[in-house]
Structures are given as C-alpha cells and as structure tokens.
C-alpha cells in the first residue's frame, strides 16, 4: 500500500509538500510544489504528485491511501479516472513525519531559524510564528505569501504594531543571541 500525505497547506507562506511512502518497504519520495510567483513552471499539482508515484513505481493495482485533507480531493479524482484504487483515511506517523520534515527543510532554506519547529501538532501556533518571522525577518525579494490578500500584512493588519514598533522584542523571540 502507498500512503500520500501533505504538509504546509495551512502555512501562510510557501507552497505545499507532498510525500508518498510504500508501507511494506518504507521507500518514500517527497516533492515541493512552489507557489505561482516562485516559478514559471506551470505543472499542475496533480502532475507533481503523480511524479511521486512514478518514483515509487506504483502500479494501478496497488492500494493508495490519501490523507483526509481537502487538498488531495482533486488528486483523488485524478487517480480514480486513471484506474487507480484510491481510499481516504488516517495516514501513519512515519509518512506524516516525512512530509513535515521535508516542509521544515523548505522553511529552513529561506532562513527560518533551525532551532524552531512544529511541536505537538500545534499547527496554528506554529504557522503564526512562521508568519511573524516572515514579516519581521525575511529578506528575500519574492513575496512568499500564499495570496495577495495576506501580502498586505506588512503594511497593516495582523501584528502591525508589535512588528513595526518593537522589532527588537520579536528578534529576541526568534534569535536568542541578540
């Protein structure tokens, strides 16, 4: 059986990560699907995820277990139309960890502090921390917010006063040696 899980869908920045793992052998692969503003490549999400299955040489007669999140609804239909046996359900901890670790590496690559990570599956709190870090400390040239609507927080809105009036305090939260 092959499990497919996602990571980073709820994060306000960056694209999503998808991981696939063959339960019997532990063989796995992961892919980062960039935001449209990160790349000129217009490969669909379904094609990106399908590349994972190709890396694992998945056959149509193998059972595919997709995570229950809405982000894989389209991929589920995509696979069913192509004759794959698809089920939705709870994904194992091992597959979840593969997806989460790959997403964390994507965050670290843009400068997110390595000593900070998701703990106890507290996604909301972690993603708020990522958002605050991005607003205060990200120095890259690209807007990595998932939507333009969220991009305006650098001008007003969420965390405006603390971010712009007390950046040194937030710096102490993220960078202990300051």
């Amino acid at each position: 059986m092959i499990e497919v899980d996602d990571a980073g869908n709820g994060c306000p920045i960056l694209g999503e990560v998808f991981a696939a793992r063959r339960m019997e052998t532990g063989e796995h692969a992961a892919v980062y699907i960039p935001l449209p503003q990160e790349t000129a490549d217009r490969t669909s999400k379904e094609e990106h995820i399908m590349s994972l299955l190709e890396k694992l040489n998945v056959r149509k007669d193998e059972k595919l277990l997709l995570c229950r999140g809405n982000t894989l609804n389209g991929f589920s239909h995509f696979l069913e139309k192509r004759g794959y046996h698809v089920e939705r359900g709870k994904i194992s901890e091992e597959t979840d960890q593969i997806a989460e670790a790959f997403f964390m590496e994507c965050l670290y690559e843009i400068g997110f502090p390595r000593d900070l990570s998701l703990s106890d599956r507290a996604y909301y709190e972690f993603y708020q921390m990522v958002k605050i870090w991005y607003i205060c400390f990200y120095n890259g040239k690209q807007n990595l917010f998932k939507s333009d609507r969220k991009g305006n927080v650098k001008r007003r809105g969420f965390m405006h006063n603390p971010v712009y009036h007390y950046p040194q305090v937030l710096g102490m939260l993220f960078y202990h040696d300051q």
Side-chain angles (χ1 to χ4, degrees):
M1 176 170 61
I2 305 294
E3 288 186 329
V4 179
D5 197 13
D6 73 301
N9 184 39
C11 188
I13 65 169
L14 295 178
E16 294 178 77
V17 164
F18 290 90
R21 183 173 77 93
R22 180 170 272 114
M23 300 285 289
E24 298 78 16
T25 65
E27 178 186 15
H28 64 274
V31 65
Y32 172 72
I33 301 176
L35 296 170
Q37 63 264 33
E38 289 181 83
T39 181
D41 180 14
R42 293 298 174 234
T43 304
S44 73
K45 178 165 55 172
E46 289 78 13
E47 291 171 310
H48 276 293
I49 303 170
M50 196 66 196
S51 73
L52 291 177
L53 303 184
E54 291 167 0
K55 286 179 186 175
L56 297 178
N57 297 312
V58 175
R59 300 177 319 273
K60 287 187 177 184
D61 63 342
E62 285 185 87
K63 182 174 146 185
L64 292 165
L65 180 64
L66 307 183
C67 69
R68 294 179 283 203
N70 292 337
T71 191
L72 285 173
N73 286 348
F75 187 58
S76 178
H77 298 302
F78 179 87
L79 288 172
E80 288 169 350
K81 286 180 183 177
R82 283 156 183 76
Y84 287 89
H85 176 63
V86 178
E87 293 183 14
R88 303 297 292 269
K90 183 161 176 47
I91 300 299
S92 69
E93 186 68 25
E94 293 86 357
T95 304
D96 181 64
Q97 287 176 356
I98 292 166
E100 295 294 344
F102 196 84
F103 183 71
M104 288 304 301
E105 282 304 315
C106 294
L107 282 172
Y108 298 146
E109 284 179 17
I110 65 164
F112 190 73
R114 285 194 174 269
D115 61 335
L116 300 175
S117 63
L118 175 68
S119 61
D120 300 323
R121 301 180 67 86
Y123 292 104
Y124 178 78
E125 291 81 4
F126 179 70
Y127 291 154
Q128 290 301 313
M129 184 171 42
V130 169
K131 187 181 207 179
I132 293 167
W133 171 84
Y134 178 80
I135 292 167
C136 295
F137 303 107
Y138 176 71
N139 292 320
K141 296 188 186 318
Q142 286 185 306
N143 175 9
L144 298 177
F145 273 112
K146 285 194 170 148
S147 73
D148 290 335
R149 180 182 59 78
K150 292 177 184 172
N152 70 7
V153 297
K154 285 201 172 195
R155 295 184 295 279
R156 58 177 168 68
F158 177 81
M159 293 299 295
H160 174 76
N161 288 335
V163 168
Y164 290 99
H165 298 290
Y166 308 103
Q168 69 282 3
V169 173
L170 290 170
M172 289 167 39
L173 291 173
F174 287 98
Y175 303 101
H176 305 291
D177 58 347
Q178 288 187 347

